[in-house]
Structures are given as structure tokens and as C-alpha cells.
Amino acid sequence: MTTTERRGETELSAGFEEIVAADQRVEPRDWMPDAYRATLVRQIAQHAHSEIIGMQPEGNWILRAPSLRRKAILLAKVQDEAGHGLYLYAAAETLGVDREELTEKLIESRQKYSSIFNYPTLTYADIGVIGWLVDGAAICNQVPLCRCSYGPYARAMIRICKEESFHQRQGYELLMTMMRGTDAQKAMVQEATNRWWWPSLMMFGPPDADSPNTRQSMAWGIKRHTNDELRQRFVDMTVPQAEALGVTLPDPELRWNAERDAHDYGEPDWVEFKSVISGGGPCNTQRLARRRRAHESGAWVREAAAAYAAKQEVHP
Ligand code: 3HC
């Protein structure tokens, strides 16, 4: 690199630092450090993959939803998740990677998706509990991302968060209805809560001391809070909701700590977490196999769309 090039890069880097320090948005046309771009691609791709894989556990119940109303709500929610995946892949494309490449990485297990979607949906109460806890955790984690320093990601998150709020409410309303039902329905809600509570806490990522990316992502304004801060916020928000619902959260260490003005809670099983994110969760193999099959069987649609686009270029 020549002295002039080096000076040019120093100026560009100072411009980037200024944008971040002033809490303004970095846009695709702006210069950005390679590591900032790589971190965004990693996080946005993982987020997009999570939305797409996340359609599977709930999709499992569309045909078995107990009424037309519940079926319509669930269908709309699963379709929203597909939309979220698409906004996020589009945001990643502004960083110079394309969706095809990211999808290949997902189906070859070279990129991650959220741990939570590797757990099975065993009863219909899981649909309500996913809305309440999983979408509740997603909202906690994602509302601060509306202020992410990268413009296209931040703007995609605004719409996603509005839709996630609807998802959370439909889940809670479904559980409220079941809790007014028979003893068997109430027991089903409690049992689903017991299974989803700890995996929901794991969604926020490893404890801060074991999170290699948080410090730098916060310095760049990609993440606005640490994993533990958001996990705590989620616990504090969820405890009164559980009380209103009439279910018990399965943590004997959960109690209000007046000194900290927050709840104390038990340690999630981080060995399980590590196993799930390295492919050893109960449904990892099934989720990826299904995604791979869907990608392969959709090849003709992509080919037809590409052929049509090419024809339009020749004869607009
Ligand atoms: N599942 C899978 N992998 C996880 C994870 C989780 N719950 N939490 C952390 N990881 C991975 C990280 O990706 C990272 O792996 P890598 O370095 O190999 O890429 C490693 O564990 C270390 O974690 P860090 O805390 O250092 O990683 P991050 O700084 O990226 O923080 C995060 C992790 C908090 C999940 C952050 O990436 C984030 O906020 N992502 C955006 C939100 C997102 O992806 N949510 C997924 C759920 S989507 C959803 O809920 C849809 C809704 O419809 C329900």
C-alpha cells in the first residue's frame, strides 16, 4: 500500500468512526472496516436463517390447529417469518453477499441459526408458548437492533419487531384461552412452559464472559446491550406475565432481589446450549434436511424466474 493509499484509508476509517460515534447510520455506499462488514454478514445471515428454519416447528401444527381461526392466525404468523427472512437476506445483500450463497452455507452447516428452533413442538400448547416466550425473547433481543449502526439492518428490524409483537400477543392470548379451559389444557400449558423456558433463555447467547463477539459489536453499535443484560430484561418482563397466566416458571432459584431491583434466576445448561449450536440438538438433523429438501425442490422455480428475467432483458 502506498503512503497516499494509507492516508486515504485512515481518512475513510476516521469517517466511519465519526458516523458510529455520532450514532448515525452507516449505509451500503459508505466505507466500512472489513471486520465490521463480516460481523454484520455473520449476524444478519444467522438471523435470516433463524426466521426461515423457525417456520418448521410451528408449520408442524398448521394442519392440526383446532379451529379455522387458530389455523388462520398460525398461517399468517408462519408467513410473516418467511417475510422476515426475506427482508434480512435483502439487508445482507447490501453488504455484497447474495442469498443463494448464504442459503448454501446454511444447508451445508457452515452458518448457524438460532438454537431455539432445534427443539420439537410436541403439543398444541407449544404454539402458544412459542409466541409468548420465544417471540417475547426475540422482541427483547431485536427492539435494540432497530438502533443498529447499519442502516438497512436497523430499518428491516422496525417492521420485523412490529410483527413480532403481534406474534407474542397471539401466543399469550392462546395460552390465556387454554388456561380458562379444562385441567388437561392447563396441564398442557404448564408442561410446554417447562420445556421452553430454559431454551428461551439460551436464545440470548452465551454469558457475557463467554461471548467472543459482544465487546466489539457493542463498540461498533451493532449490538446495543450485552447478552446477559437482555436475558435479565426478558426474565423481569416475563415473571409477571407468568403470574397473570397462572403458570410456574421451572426455576427454583427464581426470586425478586430488591437490592438489585431485578430477579435472580438459575443458570441455563450451557453444555446443552453448546451441543445444540454445534448440531447436537434434538431436531438439528431434521430441520436442516427439511430445509435442504425444500431448497432442492424449489430449484425449478428459481430457474424459471431467472429465465423469465433474462427474456425480459432481451424483449422488455
Ligand atoms: N443460537 C445459535 N447460535 C448462537 C446463539 C443462539 N441462541 N447465541 C449465540 N450464538 C453463537 C453466535 O452466533 C456466535 O457464533 P459464531 O461466532 O460462530 O458466529 C457464538 O455463539 C458466540 O456468541 P456471541 O454472543 O459472541 O455472538 P453474537 O455477538 O453474535 O450474539 C446473538 C448472539 C445475541 C444471537 C446476536 O447474534 C443477535 O442478536 N442476533 C440477531 C437476532 C437473532 O439472530 N435472533 C435469532 C432468533 S430469530 C427469531 O427469534 C425469530 C422469531 O420469529 C422467533
Side-chain angles (χ1 to χ4, degrees), residues 160-220:
I160 292 178
C161 285
K162 284 187 184 158
E163 292 176 352
E164 293 295 358
S165 299
F166 151 71
H167 296 173
Q168 200 268 355
R169 276 163 171 255
Q170 67 79 35
Y172 198 70
E173 187 267 346
L174 163 51
L175 296 179
M176 278 290 196
T177 307
M178 288 185 83
M179 290 303 283
R180 285 193 297 267
T182 62
D183 286 348
Q185 285 173 311
K186 289 180 202 164
M188 215 190 273
V189 174
Q190 182 62 58
E191 190 272 334
T193 304
N194 295 347
R195 277 185 290 110
W196 288 93
W197 174 247
W198 295 108
S200 299
L201 292 188
M202 292 175 195
M203 285 175 73
F204 295 92
D208 293 349
D210 299 328
S211 163
N213 302 302
T214 295
R215 196 189 55 78
Q216 184 59 68
S217 287
M218 286 187 59
W220 278 328

Side-chain angles (χ1 to χ4, degrees), residues 42 46 81 112 115 135 141 164 205 211-213 223 227:
R42 179 184 64 78
Q46 176 179 311
E81 309 298 0
K112 296 189 172 79
S115 49
D135 293 297
N141 167 260
E164 293 295 358
S211 163
N213 302 302
K223 284 169 86 162
N227 300 353

Side-chain angles (χ1 to χ4, degrees), residues 304-316:
Y308 180 74
K311 209 161 132 193
Q312 291 299 101
E313 269 172 33
V314 183
H315 308 289

Side-chain angles (χ1 to χ4, degrees), residues 24 37 57 67 93-94 98 109 132 156 178 202 215 222-224 227 230 291 298 310 315:
Q24 287 169 351
R37 187 185 297 275
S67 68
E93 284 186 336
T94 67
D98 84 27
S109 295
W132 174 38
M178 288 185 83
M202 292 175 195
R215 196 189 55 78
I222 295 175
K223 284 169 86 162
R224 297 290 180 168
N227 300 353
L230 293 174
R291 180 69 195 93
H315 308 289

